[in-house]
Amino acid sequence: MDLDKLMNKHLTRYFDASKSIPEETLQQLLRFLRLTPSSTNVQANHFYVLATPEGKERLAANLGERFQDNSEKILNASHTIILTTRADLPDSHLDAVFTKERADGRFPDPAKHELWEFMTRDFLNLRNYGYKDMNHWMEKQTYMALGMTMMAAAELGVEAMPLEGFDPTSVDKAFKIRETGHTTTVLLALGYPDPAKVYTTPISRFEADQLFTFV
Ligand SMILES: Cc1cc2nc3c(=O)[nH]c(=O)nc-3n(C[C@H](O)[C@H](O)[C@H](O)COP(=O)(O)O)c2cc1C
């Protein structure tokens, strides 16, 4: 990965609609996304991969009135992923996580698994009843998956554009997402840049001395 190139470029806004991500590259990226970590291994996500013109059109048409300028980005992208997060965390989800961890042999020692499950429940109770930020906390995990997937895309030579410009209620409705217990957190458009619309102005960020404190 060319980090110098990555840190000196604008995010791609405009994609070349004639270019598609090869299937093998897409599958590698999705394997990476599947394996991104989350706190307590909560795995509170479901991902909708829009690979067809119909899928992308449905999303582009349901971004909400004020976000129409993002439609073109989605329509011209090769693929767009809707990253959704559980709206709450029912026991059935936690049971499914623990069952899978046992099946995968995450902790060969059963006593360690018991302890892990106890500690996880304790931590999640704190989020639910202490900090009262369960959905917000789960969405933070989603953003970490987003960031890691953007880096993985760069490694694979694919441009990745995160999009917060959409109305979650509208997107949830269009894809019947709330019915599954999830809600839309963020979008990720993927593809190859339209060379005619690449920004060439300088990148604008605060200077390092405003950002870093060395102690
Ligand atoms: C999480 C996230 C969401 C974003 N959502 C949008 C969006 O919906 N529409 C858009 O045009 N740009 C979006 N952007 C692009 C940012 O506005 C852009 O990265 C920022 O202004 C810095 O510009 P640069 O990447 O060209 O340096 C988003 C960026 C991030 C990191």
Side-chain angles (χ1 to χ4, degrees):
M1 184 184 300
D2 186 344
L3 277 185
D4 280 325
K5 189 173 160 211
L6 199 60
M7 69 179 97
N8 285 301
K9 73 181 277 305
H10 292 274
L11 279 182
T12 288
R13 268 76 159 180
Y14 299 99
F15 293 95
D16 181 343
S18 69
K19 291 193 179 147
S20 293
I21 302 171
E23 189 57 27
E24 203 177 307
T25 305
L26 177 74
Q27 290 307 325
Q28 195 176 6
L29 195 61
L30 297 182
R31 278 199 297 280
F32 182 93
L33 176 56
R34 172 181 166 253
L35 291 170
T36 52
S38 52
S39 180
T40 72
N41 206 18
V42 67
Q43 302 172 79
N45 297 117
H46 191 82
F47 307 109
Y48 292 76
V49 182
L50 311 183
T52 61
E54 295 74 29
K56 287 181 277 181
E57 276 160 23
R58 199 192 318 170
L59 178 61
N62 287 284
L63 294 174
E65 215 172 305
R66 68 171 68 185
F67 300 113
Q68 282 314 306
D69 59 331
N70 275 338
S71 299
E72 185 190 349
K73 296 160 196 162
I74 289 162
L75 291 173
N76 290 339
S78 168
H79 293 73
T80 295
I81 303 178
I82 306 176
L83 292 94
T84 79
T85 311
R86 288 213 60 92
D88 58 9
L89 195 65
D91 281 344
S92 57
H93 179 85
L94 208 51
D95 288 345
V97 171
F98 293 155
T99 301
K100 182 78 167 93
E101 287 180 332
R102 284 176 187 260
D104 287 341
R106 182 175 180 200
F107 298 103
D109 177 356
K112 283 215 172 109
H113 209 124
E114 297 275 318
L115 181 63
W116 166 256
E117 290 181 8
F118 173 80
M119 285 165 54
T120 297
R121 284 188 199 282
D122 188 49
F123 183 76
L124 294 177
N125 272 338
L126 187 65
R127 301 253 66 121
N128 240 344
Y129 305 110
Y131 301 146
K132 298 187 175 67
D133 69 346
M134 181 57 90
N135 177 257
H136 180 61
W137 170 76
M138 288 190 290
E139 289 201 311
K140 288 190 210 168
Q141 315 307 316
T142 308
Y143 266 81
M144 193 170 59
L146 172 80
M148 291 179 71
T149 304
M150 288 170 66
M151 296 298 284
E155 176 70 17
L156 294 170
V158 173
E159 296 287 325
M161 163 77 188
L163 294 156
E164 288 183 327
F166 65 91
D167 172 358
T169 312
S170 172
V171 175
D172 284 358
K173 203 167 157 209
F175 289 86
K176 298 190 170 46
I177 290 170
R178 280 313 283 256
E179 286 86 331
T180 71
H182 295 71
T183 181
T184 301
T185 301
V186 66
L187 312 173
L188 184 63
L190 299 160
Y192 301 97
D194 178 346
K197 292 185 175 173
V198 170
Y199 290 177
T200 52
T201 53
I203 304 286
S204 171
R205 304 285 191 263
F206 287 134
E207 296 303 325
D209 60 2
Q210 288 173 274
L211 292 177
F212 302 113
T213 299
F214 295 89
V215 180

